[in-house]
Amino acid sequence: KKPAADDMAYQMTGIPRDATMMTVNGQKVSTEEYLFWLNQSISMQKQYGNLQDDASWETETDGKTAAQYVKDDALETLKYYYVIASKAKEYGVDAMSEEQSTDLNTQIDNIAQTMESQNLTLQQYLNMQAISEQGFRDMMGRLNYAPSNLRTKLSEEGGPLVPTDEEM
């Protein structure tokens, strides 16, 4: 099928945004989500003062080039969040509550307002991240709510995070 006209992942890489880049715990990771985390890793390295010019991509630290480091960092981040999402699904707490959905909408509205103050639209911001709004919403749901939902579930009476009288 032909990629959508607004598919920034495809425009940047030639790979459709919904193509599966890898799987983590049997869950498919899309191109756009991998590119989002790759971009986050690159941005972080730039903030640290690394990746100042083209040559710095080949600079080695601990036997890895900067280019390999940011790729590995994106993969590790994806694995972390997908393992949590997988466990949340296993415990039946992977869906967002109505309150969490409202909170997510507020967060996205806040991001849009921040972007407006920088003379950007939300869509322009998402395009720079090579992610669609739906992909961003799905990812933010996993990122923000799956860990807390899982922690709450595992902390319920008799759950594995609640010490027994013997353990106390």
Side-chain angles (χ1 to χ4, degrees), residues 3-156:
D6 67 345
D7 187 339
M8 292 307 293
Y10 182 76
Q11 291 177 31
M12 293 170 67
T13 66
I15 304 169
R17 67 177 162 221
D18 58 352
T20 301
M21 287 292 285
M22 67 195 84
T23 59
V24 176
N25 272 14
Q27 297 177 90
K28 295 176 181 180
V29 177
S30 68
T31 301
E32 68 178 352
E33 191 165 359
Y34 171 73
L35 291 175
F36 176 87
W37 287 111
L38 181 62
N39 186 49
Q40 295 301 303
S41 183
I42 291 167
S43 295
M44 186 64 68
Q45 289 304 307
K46 285 182 177 182
Q47 284 180 6
Y48 291 151
N50 304 326
L51 306 177
Q52 297 302 312
D53 56 28
D54 288 345
S56 58
W57 285 94
E58 296 305 318
T59 304
E60 284 201 25
T61 306
D62 297 328
K64 284 185 187 179
T65 64
Q68 189 58 52
Y69 177 84
V70 295
K71 290 176 190 175
D72 290 349
D73 186 51
L75 290 172
E76 290 303 311
T77 301
L78 280 164
K79 285 194 278 186
Y80 173 78
Y81 286 114
Y82 271 82
V83 166
I84 290 172
S86 177
K87 284 294 179 186
K89 186 174 185 173
E90 180 182 321
Y91 281 90
V93 293
D94 56 324
M96 285 191 297
S97 68
E98 192 171 314
E99 180 181 320
Q100 290 170 333
S101 183
T102 299
D103 182 56
L104 178 60
N105 288 334
T106 300
Q107 287 181 45
I108 291 176
D109 288 346
N110 290 341
I111 292 169
Q113 288 174 0
T114 300
M115 291 302 107
E116 260 181 49
S117 72
Q118 298 173 21
N119 295 319
L120 292 170
T121 65
L122 176 62
Q123 190 59 55
Q124 288 170 319
Y125 168 75
L126 296 173
N127 288 348
M128 289 186 300
Q129 308 291 326
I131 195 165
S132 64
E133 185 171 343
Q134 189 58 53
F136 187 70
R137 285 177 176 280
D138 293 346
M139 183 191 64
M140 292 299 287
R142 271 192 310 282
L143 178 72
N144 292 336
Y145 305 109
S148 62
N149 290 352
L150 183 60
R151 185 175 41 255
T152 298
K153 179 68 174 175
L154 297 178
S155 299
E156 289 176 350

